[in-house]
């Protein structure tokens, strides 16, 4: 079972200083009011009750119990100190209680700052009960609960405590300066302009999540050596995608956030997690140590780093601390890259949808009207105009062909990788649709991991596959089309082969199409390969990362179109 890594205790210096100052103040006032050093026992009890606030201020159980103990001790101390002051005649009971009651503001203010009004109300109730119990304590025959001064002092501090508890957040909101709500498009323009300027000033002028992740793994290799490592980020749907990984073999990592794993715990708690077993579903067993480090930017978890070694207890607290020092700054860099990727994908998809709408509502409709006009002209031709009729039939066939091409282009523009379906499903749908239109027999071979590539990477791979399939349909004169899709993040390979006449360099759009595919491959740090297919045809492949090198291959699906 995963266990939380031992992390350094988070001590808040200002909170510690405030409590120490208040303890010193009430100690001095108690001595002045009672002239009895024995009453300092209450100050000692307050110091003990404050220990959770010093050493575990964020603990979900110890910290609230510590505050509860502080108000209880304060209430009891108020009655005891008031009685002692009244007996010695130094001050009356009300002023005696005032020596201790100021400390009541400390735990109440702490609960208010943490926005826990329910806890604050409970603390007020405990304080009132403690004051009553302290007031009925008989010290040398003196009961001070009935004295007006004591009741006034207790009531005054309970009212002040209620104001602190219930009005602090409201007052903070009322005193905050009003913020002008910016216009959405003006604000978007401002942010995008800043992002462009920042991106140009970055080392290498790049915001590539894969490159940043690989650099992070190289940095961590120095401070925390191991046999395997990976950087994962969220992809939606409660799953993670592998941005980069190192190791002798590709690893089938656990990528769901609802599993019982150190990965899920690190994501939920935003704290480093260690485990004595591998976080990979493909691990063969044996000794293993895992360290999962969350990448937290602000209050949001944007990714995880997994480090593993095939030895027990490989990640002591000292190694965890050094690794955390590396991942802290890297989280901000990776968040910027992921946001930039998301903005670019949204802008690209929006532009593709806009083009599809314009083509459908503009050129496509006009061509349909041209087709109708040709049909009317054919219907009204006089007898004997065979030559004109043949020319009109040829023109009508050409218009029909162009309309078909436009519809396929619209389908290409609107095709996207579904979040649940995956890359292989999107490529298969496109190949099946275009293959049917061209009378091609399409053969599929899929080997797709349950892990997903980043959305922007999947989109680029889909566009490259679409261009290769379109080229085969338009120009190859083929009878068969073979589409192979292998995805094992961060590795992927898409291969499109045909049995046509091969690639012709003299085709006017050939070099342009190749340039587009090469640019897309370079954008995702992949490589484009074009080679002849034996005995005839062409193979176009895009490869991302290095070979999977797995010992056991997953069950693949290989079937021709229609089977």
């Amino acid at each position: 079972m995963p266990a939380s890594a031992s992390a350094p205790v988070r001590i808040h210096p200002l909170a510690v200083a405030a409590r120490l100052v208040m303890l010193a103040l009430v100690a001095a006032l108690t001595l002045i009011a009672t002239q009895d050093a024995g009453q300092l026992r209450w100050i000692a009890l307050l110091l003990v009750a404050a220990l959770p606030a010093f050493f575990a201020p964020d603990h979900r159980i110890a910290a609230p119990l510590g505050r509860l103990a502080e108000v209880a001790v304060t209430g009891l101390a108020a009655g005891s100190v008031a009685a002692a002051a009244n007996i010695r005649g130094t001050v009356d009971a009300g002023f005696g209680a005032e020596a201790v009651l100021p400390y009541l503001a400390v735990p109440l203010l702490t609960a208010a700052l943490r926005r826990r009004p329910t806890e604050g109300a409970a603390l007020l109730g405990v304080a009132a009960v403690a004051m009553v119990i302290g007031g009925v304590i008989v010290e040398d025959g003196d009961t001070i609960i009935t004295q007006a001064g004591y009741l006034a002092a207790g009531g005054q501090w309970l009212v002040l405590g209620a104001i602190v508890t219930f009005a602090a957040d409201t007052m903070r909101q009322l005193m905050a300066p009003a913020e002008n709500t910016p216009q959405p498009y003006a604000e978007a323009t401002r942010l995008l302009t800043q992002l462009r300027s920042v991106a140009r000033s970055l080392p290498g002028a790049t915001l590539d999540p894969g490159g940043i992740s690989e650099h992070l793994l190289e940095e961590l290799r120095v401070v925390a050596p191991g046999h395997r490592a990976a950087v994962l980020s969220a992809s939606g749907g409660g799953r993670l995608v592998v941005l980069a990984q190192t190791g002798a073999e590709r690893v089938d990592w656990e990528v769901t956030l609802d599993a019982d794993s150190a990965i899920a715990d690190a994501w939920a708690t935003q704290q480093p997690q260690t485990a004595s077993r591998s976080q990979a579903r493909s691990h063969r067993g044996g000794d293993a140590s895992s360290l999962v480090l969350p990448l937290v930017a602000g209050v949001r978890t944007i990714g995880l780093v997994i480090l593993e070694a095939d030895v027990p207890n490989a990640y002591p607290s000292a190694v965890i601390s050094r690794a955390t020092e590396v991942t802290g700054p890297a989280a901000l860099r990776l968040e910027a890259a992921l946001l930039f990727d998301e903005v670019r994908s949204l802008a690209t998809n929006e532009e593709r949808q806009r083009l599809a709408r314009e083509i459908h509502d503009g050129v496509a409709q006009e061509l349909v009207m041209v087709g109708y006009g040709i049909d009317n002209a054919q219907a009204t031709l006089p007898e004997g105009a065979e030559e004109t009729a043949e020319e009109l039939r040829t023109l009508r066939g050409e218009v029909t062909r162009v309309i078909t091409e436009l519809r396929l282009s619209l389908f290409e523009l609107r095709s996207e990788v579904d979040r649940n379906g995956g890359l292989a499903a999107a490529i298969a749908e496109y190949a099946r649709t275009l293959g049917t239109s061209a009378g091609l027999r399409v053969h599929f071979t899929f080997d797709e991991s349950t892990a997903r590539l980043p959305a922007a990477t999947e989109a680029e791979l889909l566009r490259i596959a679409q261009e290769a399939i379109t080229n085969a349909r338009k120009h190859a004169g083929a009878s068969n089309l073979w589409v192979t899709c292998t995805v094992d993040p961060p590795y992927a390979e898409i291969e499109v082969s045909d049995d046509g006449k091969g690639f012709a360099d003299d085709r006017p759009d050939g070099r342009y199409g190749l340039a587009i595919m090469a640019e897309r491959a370079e954008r995702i740090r992949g490589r484009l390969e074009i080679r002849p297919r034996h005995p005839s045809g062409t193979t176009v492949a895009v490869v991302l990362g290095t070979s999977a090198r797995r010992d056991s291959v997953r069950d693949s699906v290989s079937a021709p179109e229609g089977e």
Side-chain angles (χ1 to χ4, degrees), residues 287-364:
D287 290 335
S289 298
S290 299
L291 171 61
V292 184
L293 300 166
L295 296 171
V296 181
V299 296
R300 194 166 70 95
T301 305
I302 54 107
L304 298 170
V305 178
I306 306 174
L307 305 175
E308 288 195 350
D310 292 331
V311 293
N313 304 319
Y315 301 106
S317 58
V319 173
I320 296 173
S321 298
R322 292 197 299 269
T324 304
E325 293 175 359
V326 175
T327 57
L332 185 60
R333 297 195 298 268
L334 184 59
E335 183 189 36
L338 292 172
L339 288 174
F340 184 77
D341 232 18
E342 184 177 356
V343 169
R344 183 170 59 187
S345 297
L346 290 173
T348 302
N349 289 337
E350 177 61 29
E351 183 64 13
R352 295 178 72 89
Q353 297 300 320
R354 185 189 66 81
L355 286 173
R357 289 192 299 269
E358 289 188 358
I359 293 174
H360 178 271
D361 298 336
V363 177

Side-chain angles (χ1 to χ4, degrees), residues 5 46-47 74 119 138 178 183 197 239 273 289-291 312 351 353 375 442 445 522:
L46 280 176
L47 179 60
T74 302
E119 180 187 331
V138 177
Q183 296 297 322
S197 302
R239 300 186 68 82
Q273 300 288 321
S289 298
S290 299
L291 171 61
E351 183 64 13
Q353 297 300 320
D375 292 339
V442 184
T445 302
E522 183 179 359

Side-chain angles (χ1 to χ4, degrees), residues 68-145:
L68 189 68
E70 285 180 295
V71 297
V73 173
T74 302
L76 295 174
S80 177
V81 172
N86 193 51
I87 292 170
R88 290 180 176 272
T90 52
V91 293
D92 66 20
F95 284 107
E98 291 278 3
V100 182
L101 287 175
Y103 190 83
L104 194 64
V106 175
L108 290 173
L109 182 60
T110 301
L113 291 177
R114 291 177 177 271
R115 299 187 177 182
R116 296 179 175 178
T118 303
E119 180 187 331
L123 294 179
L124 283 172
V126 171
V129 172
M131 287 182 201
V132 172
I133 295 174
V136 299
I137 292 176
V138 177
E139 187 157 332
D140 294 336
D142 190 10
T143 302
I144 51 103
I145 186 63

Side-chain angles (χ1 to χ4, degrees), residues 412 427 430-431 434 440 460-476 478 480-483 494-498 503 507 513-514 516-518 520 528-530 538-542:
E412 178 180 347
I427 294 176
Y430 185 80
L434 265 70
L440 285 170
E460 295 292 357
L461 289 173
L462 174 62
R463 304 308 173 198
I464 294 172
Q466 287 177 335
E467 180 70 22
I469 294 169
T470 300
N471 287 341
R473 181 187 68 86
K474 283 184 177 180
H475 310 293
N480 291 275
L481 188 68
W482 290 269
V483 180
I494 312 298
E495 185 178 279
V496 178
S497 299
D498 63 73
F503 186 81
R507 203 176 65 235
L514 284 179
I516 291 177
M517 287 192 287
R520 291 187 182 278
L528 186 69
E529 300 175 356
I530 301 174
T538 305
T539 295
V540 177
V542 57

Side-chain angles (χ1 to χ4, degrees), residues 30-217:
T30 299
L31 280 176
I32 293 173
T34 64
Q35 296 181 0
D36 180 9
Q39 293 296 324
L40 292 181
R41 66 182 182 277
W42 295 107
I43 310 304
L45 287 175
L46 280 176
L47 179 60
V48 173
L51 289 179
F54 293 158
F55 301 110
D58 300 317
H59 197 279
R60 62 192 186 107
I61 297 177
L65 288 179
R67 291 189 285 272
L68 189 68
E70 285 180 295
V71 297
V73 173
T74 302
L76 295 174
S80 177
V81 172
N86 193 51
I87 292 170
R88 290 180 176 272
T90 52
V91 293
D92 66 20
F95 284 107
E98 291 278 3
V100 182
L101 287 175
Y103 190 83
L104 194 64
V106 175
L108 290 173
L109 182 60
T110 301
L113 291 177
R114 291 177 177 271
R115 299 187 177 182
R116 296 179 175 178
T118 303
E119 180 187 331
L123 294 179
L124 283 172
V126 171
V129 172
M131 287 182 201
V132 172
I133 295 174
V136 299
I137 292 176
V138 177
E139 187 157 332
D140 294 336
D142 190 10
T143 302
I144 51 103
I145 186 63
T146 57
Q147 295 193 21
Y150 180 76
L151 293 174
Q156 171 190 342
W157 280 102
L158 287 175
V159 171
L160 290 175
I163 293 174
V164 169
T165 300
F166 300 111
D169 192 55
T170 302
M171 294 176 63
R172 181 168 56 248
Q173 294 178 2
L174 292 175
M175 296 176 64
E179 296 183 0
N180 295 325
T181 303
Q183 296 297 322
Y185 283 99
E187 183 69 7
T189 301
R190 182 183 68 82
L191 292 174
L192 289 172
T193 302
Q194 291 179 350
L195 180 60
R196 180 180 60 185
S197 302
V198 171
R200 289 175 175 174
S201 66
L202 291 172
T206 181
L207 281 170
D208 174 34
I212 292 174
S213 300
E214 289 181 357
H215 181 67
L216 172 58
L217 292 181

